């Protein structure tokens, strides 16, 4: 567990610096799509366990993209570039 010392806002900051940054997300989609999928899964798990309560609906929608295959993620990243 997180020993009750990690606040939801810490996850917001970490998300914003990683998956919330389009450049980082596109890099992961191209360089290591499995890492992108795993990071999404970890953020979603923290949300499901109640450790993280994102305030923006866009965060929840982005995490829902986990249903995309790694190939679709990489293709979407290339199209966005």
């Amino acid at each position: 567990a997180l020993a009750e010392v990690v606040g939801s806002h810490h996850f917001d900051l970490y998300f914003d610096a990683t998956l919330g940054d389009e450049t980082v997300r596109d890099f992961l989609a191209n360089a290591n799509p499995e890492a992108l999928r795993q990071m999404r899964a970890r953020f979603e798990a923290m949300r499901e366990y109640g450790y993280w309560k994102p305030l923006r609906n866009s965060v929840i929608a982005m995490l829902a993209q986990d249903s995309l295959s790694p190939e679709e993620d990489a293709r979407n990243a290339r199209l966005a570039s």
Side-chain angles (χ1 to χ4, degrees), residues 16-37:
D16 289 345
T18 57
L19 299 186
D21 183 320
E22 185 176 356
T23 302
V24 173
R25 197 171 54 251
D26 290 348
F27 171 79
L28 286 169
N30 286 307
N32 193 340
E34 180 60 20
L36 176 61
R37 192 183 71 72

Side-chain angles (χ1 to χ4, degrees), residues 62-78:
M62 200 289 298
L63 292 173
Q65 289 180 345
D66 190 35
S67 60
L68 296 177
S69 71
E71 294 80 20
E72 290 172 310
D73 263 338
R75 184 170 36 88
N76 288 344
R78 283 192 298 276

Side-chain angles (χ1 to χ4, degrees), residues 37-51:
R37 192 183 71 72
Q38 289 294 324
M39 289 177 74
R40 280 188 180 138
R42 297 294 73 79
F43 276 109
E44 183 59 30
M46 292 300 107
R47 193 174 75 79
E48 287 178 11
Y49 296 145
Y51 295 127

